[in-house]
Amino acid sequence: AADPPGLLDRVGEMIEFFAGRFGPYPFAEYGHAGVPAAEALEDQTLCVLGWGGGVDPGDYDEGIVSHELAHQWFGDSVTPATWQDIWLNEGFATFGQWLWLEHTRGTAAYAEQVAKSYDRLRRSGILPGDPGAGSMFSSTVYQRGGLTLHALRVTVGDAALSEILRAWASRYAYGNASTADFVALAGEISGRDLGALFQAWLYDPAIPELPSG
């Protein structure tokens, strides 16, 4: 299937941008495949874009392309230790998608996206740190997972967050890691006790207040 016109025009720029935030692209190549399927998904070195099953090629946008690309670092290189840790894939890729939005459309667009994602969560009782087998790919895992990283960004600052993400991608490259590993790494680099932040955003039934900053 042919890609929608212009959909992949900025992939090279995306790779450069994410390399600046997350560290060097972890593989030797990257490509896209359009196949008869219903969803987009990532594999090592390859993003599969599915046409059909109710999905029209025109439904895809830069957000989806950037999300799947971010998975090359988070999911395809650093892989969760258990499926319970799936937010380390989907929350990170969602946050990467928001960073790309901020890069291309500014801080107001980023803030608007964060606020919209937060509003959607008010009706969900799924916990991203322990979603259960039937809810691993719930939108809550994506959105509240991404908001966990937004809360971390507000708490430790953008420079420290970038250092944390780069260290995460480097230290656990081509291996497996857990939520506990990430919490420990974030505390190590920031010099702060972040246990309460991660407990609130990943495991508490009541969603925390949205931090601003």
Side-chain angles (χ1 to χ4, degrees):
D3 298 317
L7 179 65
L8 305 179
D9 287 354
R10 303 187 74 176
V11 170
E13 185 183 348
M14 288 179 188
I15 292 174
E16 291 181 5
F17 172 70
F18 285 146
R21 297 302 296 253
F22 307 149
Y25 178 72
F27 302 107
E29 58 186 21
Y30 188 63
H32 294 77
V35 301
E39 301 289 345
L41 60 88
E42 82 290 343
D43 301 285
Q44 283 188 354
T45 74
L46 181 68
C47 170
V48 176
L49 298 172
W51 311 151
V55 176
D56 183 272
D59 292 339
Y60 288 115
D61 58 20
E62 280 191 9
I64 292 174
V65 174
S66 61
H67 178 102
E68 304 304 344
L69 173 58
H71 272 308
Q72 297 301 311
W73 286 262
F74 307 122
D76 294 322
S77 176
V78 183
T79 301
T82 72
W83 284 115
Q84 181 178 326
D85 299 309
I86 191 65
W87 85 277
L88 295 170
N89 281 20
E90 301 304 346
F92 280 53
T94 298
F95 186 70
Q97 178 180 341
W98 296 348
L99 290 178
W100 174 254
L101 178 67
E102 181 180 53
H103 174 67
T104 55
R105 294 177 51 193
T107 56
Y110 170 89
E112 180 181 3
Q113 180 60 65
V114 165
K116 285 182 178 179
S117 294
Y118 184 78
D119 286 341
R120 293 190 195 108
L121 296 181
R122 297 178 187 274
R123 298 177 296 278
S124 175
I126 295 168
L127 305 177
D130 189 12
S135 300
M136 283 194 305
F137 295 100
S138 161
S139 62
T140 299
V141 174
Y142 291 64
Q143 304 302 319
R144 190 162 167 177
L147 287 169
T148 300
L149 295 177
H150 169 73
L152 180 62
R153 183 187 198 184
V154 173
T155 300
V156 304
D158 199 51
L161 176 67
S162 289
E163 186 178 353
I164 290 166
L165 294 179
R166 290 174 68 88
W168 179 249
S170 174
R171 185 174 299 185
Y172 295 101
Y174 317 117
N176 303 89
S178 68
T179 297
D181 292 325
F182 184 72
V183 173
L185 178 65
E188 171 192 328
I189 290 177
S190 68
R192 302 179 64 158
D193 183 354
L194 298 167
L197 182 151
F198 287 106
Q199 174 64 39
W201 280 97
L202 295 177
Y203 302 105
D204 287 356
I207 185 172
E209 290 296 319
L210 181 65
S212 60

